[in-house]
Amino acid sequence: KTIKINFFENKARYINPQLGPQLTDKLRQKVNNQTRLTQVQGDDAHYEVSGYISDYSVTTSGISNQQASSNRLRVGVHIALKNRLNDQQSFEADVSRDFDFSATMSLQQAESQLNETILKNLIDEIFNRLFSNW
């Protein structure tokens, strides 16, 4: 059985330019390492995964002495699985994760510190959604 994983485009209001390529690459690696599916580039794959980054936003999550003490980065991804062997199993879903960081850090500092955690958590969430019914 074959699978095609399309590039995850960033459609969020704030764009982290590295997130789309890294998310796509890490998902392809995980599918390659943890399933027996063969990845293909053609449009005739048995399964086709597509999606986009839908949310990338920061909010205050903690206040101390009337000042922000922690912020929360929310990253959301919309995914779609097209099952050409059984269309009944095709679906679309939204996954999101929150990542807290100190309000003393800039978003860029938080991104560099949290990057691996963001990728790992989102990839695990997406992978579980895609393959939970197999």
Side-chain angles (χ1 to χ4, degrees), residues 101-116:
F101 62 96
S102 170
T104 60
M105 298 172 78
S106 70
L107 177 57
Q108 288 72 26
Q109 290 170 320
E111 285 173 332
S112 65
Q113 187 180 37
L114 292 169
N115 191 50
E116 288 303 312

Side-chain angles (χ1 to χ4, degrees), residues 56-68:
Y56 196 91
S57 56
V58 177
T59 56
T60 300
S61 62
I63 296 176
S64 176
N65 296 329
Q66 298 174 342
Q67 290 186 345

Side-chain angles (χ1 to χ4, degrees), residues 9-20:
E9 189 180 343
N10 199 329
K11 294 185 178 181
R13 278 184 296 189
Y14 176 86
I15 293 183
N16 174 338
Q18 298 162 2
L19 189 59

